[in-house]
Amino acid sequence: MKLRGLYAITDSQLLAGKFLAYVEAALDGGVTLLQYRDKSSDEARRLREAEKLRELCSRYKTQLIINDDAELAARLGVGVHLGQTDGPLTPARALLGSKAIIGSTCHSQIELAEQAAKEGASYVAFGRFFNSNTKPGAPAATVEMLAQARTRLHLPICVIGGITLENAEPLVAHGADLLAVVHGLFGADSTQEVTRRARAFNALLKI
Ligand SMILES: Cc1ncc(COP(=O)(O)OP(=O)(O)O)c(N)n1
Ligand SMILES: Cc1nc(C(=O)O)sc1CCOP(=O)(O)O
Ligand SMILES: [Mg+2]
């Protein structure tokens, strides 16, 4: 399966009180990957919420990805996204099996992406491309680097960081396959607007 489309990422603060309603609204608009991103250490809540998301994703035929935590991903039988300090890819691939989706944060370094590809990543993520409310301190990346990455890599390329409907088009034009978005999707005022935004992101990717 070619990974291409909207990659919705949850944020526990932004979605407080409307978590499942907003996620379902996004899934209704069309989501290729949904990442459960919760930076708290409340393991019981993380398991409960991830289980609910797995059920929702299975209803909408969307792939669930767990941020940071390969053990939780293995427990649920879903994919994982690992940053440079979240543990190595090779053991995660061994734990999750050959079919699992495993993503790797590569900031703006094509060499990290080439290494991730060798270690079995399913996609590589570059960013941050714009100012991000969610992660203001993430290292910056440029469209020039993205264009170069596109010529050197054969894996799906995910882009992240401050992406909105207004600024995403050049990223698609320079080779992005997956648009990973928190605020630009879930920062909406209503579930209807979340669904509209999801559809509009997919239209940008011609999905
Ligand atoms: C799709 C995607 N890309 C990048 C990240 C960032 O991962 P990481 O650098 O490990 O930072 P945290 O998200 O864990 O704070 C991501 N989560 N998803
Ligand atoms: C989780 C994350 N990682 C980033 C990176 O550059 O690695 S930027 C980011 C936050 C993405 O949220 P928003 O769409 O609200 O900017
Ligand atoms: Mg991480």
Side-chain angles (χ1 to χ4, degrees), residues 7 9 35 37 39 67-68 81 83 86 105 125 135 158 160:
Y7 188 166
I9 302 184
Q35 183 182 123
R37 181 172 182 270
K39 302 299 284 185
N67 189 40
D68 292 340
H81 182 92
D86 296 326
T105 298
K135 197 157 181 176
C158 172
I160 190 167

Side-chain angles (χ1 to χ4, degrees), residues 37 105 107 127-128 132-135 138-139 160-163 180-184:
R37 181 172 182 270
T105 298
H107 303 300
R128 127 193 91 83
S132 169
N133 285 321
T134 308
K135 197 157 181 176
I160 190 167
I163 296 173
V181 189
V182 182
H183 262 262

